[in-house]
Amino acid sequence: PVAPPVLFFPDPGMPCRAVMNGQQCRRGAKCTYSHQKTSLVKFLDELYAARKTLDVCVFTITCNEIAEAIIAAKKRGVKVRVITDDEQAKCTGSDVYQIASEGIETRTDSDPITHMHHKFAIIDKKTLLNGSFNWTRQAVLGNRENVIIMRNPALCDVFTKEFNAQWKLFEKN
Amino acid sequence: PVAPPVLFFPDPGMPCRAVMNGQQCRRGAKCTYSHQKTSLVKFLDELYAARKTLDVCVFTITCNEIAEAIIAAKKRGVKVRVITDDEQAKCTGSDVYQIASEGIETRTDSDPITHMHHKFAIIDKKTLLNGSFNWTRQAVLGNRENVIIMRNPALCDVFTKEFNAQWKLFEKN
Ligand SMILES: [Zn+2]
Ligand SMILES: [Zn+2]
């Protein structure tokens, strides 16, 4: 088999908004953001490609660029569901309340000791993003991390079962 | 494509040693360990199957059953290399010093703020274990976690490049 695409972090910098939007940056040397197609840009491309469903199951979400992509999916009519860790959702910088305030259904576990430690997303039932990568600025810019992009509907089914089991388990939290 | 095998945690309990060794437990109701083929047992099966090389690149290693499997690989002649996080290696319960004391080459990053946050292993250049799962008792028994078992030499090559880049980078630490 061929290797699926893999994104490694850390990135050299946060991406310029022009590059994120697939345009040329006009600020030239004044712009201090990265103009490369970084791992974060490729990661965001997957979220912006969602058309029907986006199931996010990630321990920590604090990266604003990623939260914006989740909210943008909701706004264009994608059915979005988010599961995250209860303790992490309360942390400084967490984007979970903002995501919920946009009308996106969001659930958490309810245990301060054990963790909802997954870091996966299922896009349109056909693409799975999975690896060590929490959706945080520290993970983008500081840590050694990986995300494998797997275009495999059968594997998406396996992870959707885990997602749905937690979705039910965390209904009352 | 078919779905590769996926291990989900938490497990219902730590496995009985008889089950880990593929035998029947003779202690009957007195034995308080799990007699199911848990996710940890299936995970350990992969490590015990290593014949030539085992490259471990995992943020935290504190689960004694897993450390034993790494040491057993070394003892049967497998070339074992371990990369882990510097701060985690110093934590209570870390098995990294024990692993190093068995003559297994072990390297860490040297940054107290950023993390070597991967959780992957490459076995015999053909099987990749990757996911959210740190190699800890808390992850086995408490957390929602996943490991995908990917039999894909091309994907192993991609991760071996990342492993070797870090191996060189962390040489002096
Ligand atoms: Zn720019
Ligand atoms: Zn037993």
Side-chain angles (χ1 to χ4, degrees):
Chain A
V2 296
V6 185
L7 307 177
F8 288 108
F9 296 90
D11 275 345
M14 290 307 279
C16 173
R17 290 208 163 255
V19 174
M20 280 171 57
N21 297 332
Q23 296 160 353
Q24 290 261 317
C25 175
R26 298 184 180 184
R27 283 179 292 168
K30 280 185 215 162
C31 181
T32 58
Y33 293 92
S34 174
H35 296 96
Q36 296 173 44
K37 185 113 183 167
T38 59
S39 288
L40 180 62
V41 174
K42 292 175 189 169
F43 182 88
L44 292 170
D45 283 351
E46 298 297 324
L47 300 186
Y48 281 109
R51 287 293 164 262
K52 293 186 176 170
T53 59
L54 172 60
D55 288 336
V56 172
C57 184
V58 176
F59 180 57
T60 322
I61 305 174
T62 64
C63 176
N64 294 344
E65 287 80 357
I66 297 177
E68 281 171 31
I70 295 170
I71 291 164
K74 167 77 177 175
K75 287 186 173 168
R76 71 178 174 268
V78 175
K79 183 169 161 36
V80 181
R81 300 185 293 175
V82 174
I83 294 174
T84 189
D85 188 71
D86 57 339
E87 294 303 300
Q88 293 299 310
K90 294 168 200 156
C91 281
T92 309
S94 174
D95 289 326
V96 173
Y97 291 111
Q98 198 207 338
I99 289 167
S101 75
E102 296 283 344
I104 294 170
E105 268 201 281
T106 303
R107 297 185 183 175
T108 67
D109 66 320
S110 64
D111 189 319
I113 295 168
T114 67
H115 294 308
M116 199 314 290
H117 199 248
H118 289 301
K119 304 106 174 37
F120 70 81
I122 310 158
I123 300 164
D124 292 336
K125 301 182 181 179
K126 60 189 184 192
T127 300
L128 177 73
L129 309 179
N130 192 49
S132 65
F133 178 64
N134 280 306
W135 294 11
T136 69
R137 202 180 162 90
Q138 149 115 13
V140 173
L141 293 180
N143 296 351
R144 308 294 304 204
E145 305 274 6
N146 73 77
V147 179
I148 309 183
I149 301 173
M150 285 164 281
R151 319 242 182 245
N152 184 325
L155 182 60
C156 287
D157 278 357
V158 172
F159 276 79
T160 298
K161 284 198 180 71
E162 169 71 2
F163 189 98
N164 288 341
Q166 292 179 91
W167 192 249
K168 196 169 173 185
L169 198 59
F170 304 154
E171 189 174 2
K172 300 280 164 53
N173 300 348
Chain B
V2 298
V6 185
L7 307 177
F8 288 109
F9 295 90
D11 275 346
M14 289 307 279
C16 172
R17 292 211 162 252
V19 174
M20 279 170 56
N21 297 332
Q23 296 161 355
Q24 291 259 314
C25 175
R26 297 182 181 186
R27 283 179 292 169
K30 279 185 215 162
C31 181
T32 57
Y33 293 92
S34 173
H35 296 96
Q36 297 173 45
K37 184 112 184 166
T38 59
S39 288
L40 180 61
V41 174
K42 292 174 189 169
F43 182 88
L44 291 170
D45 282 352
E46 298 297 324
L47 300 186
Y48 281 109
R51 287 293 163 263
K52 293 186 175 170
T53 58
L54 172 60
D55 287 336
V56 172
C57 183
V58 176
F59 180 57
T60 323
I61 304 173
T62 63
C63 175
N64 294 344
E65 287 80 358
I66 298 177
E68 282 172 29
I70 295 169
I71 291 164
K74 167 76 177 175
K75 286 186 173 167
R76 71 178 174 270
V78 175
K79 182 167 163 38
V80 181
R81 300 186 293 175
V82 174
I83 295 175
T84 189
D85 187 71
D86 57 338
E87 294 301 300
Q88 294 299 308
K90 293 169 199 156
C91 282
T92 309
S94 175
D95 289 328
V96 172
Y97 290 110
Q98 198 206 337
I99 289 168
S101 75
E102 296 284 345
I104 294 170
E105 267 201 281
T106 303
R107 297 185 184 177
T108 68
D109 65 319
S110 63
D111 189 318
I113 296 169
T114 67
H115 294 308
M116 199 314 291
H117 197 249
H118 289 301
K119 306 105 174 37
F120 71 81
I122 310 157
I123 300 164
D124 293 337
K125 301 181 182 178
K126 60 188 184 191
T127 301
L128 177 73
L129 310 178
N130 192 49
S132 65
F133 179 63
N134 281 304
W135 294 11
T136 69
R137 201 180 164 91
Q138 149 114 10
V140 173
L141 294 180
N143 296 352
R144 308 293 305 204
E145 304 274 7
N146 73 77
V147 179
I148 309 183
I149 302 173
M150 284 163 281
R151 318 244 183 245
N152 184 325
L155 182 59
C156 287
D157 278 355
V158 172
F159 276 78
T160 298
K161 285 199 179 73
E162 170 71 1
F163 189 98
N164 288 341
Q166 291 178 92
W167 193 250
K168 195 168 174 187
L169 199 59
F170 302 155
E171 188 174 4
K172 299 281 164 54
N173 300 348

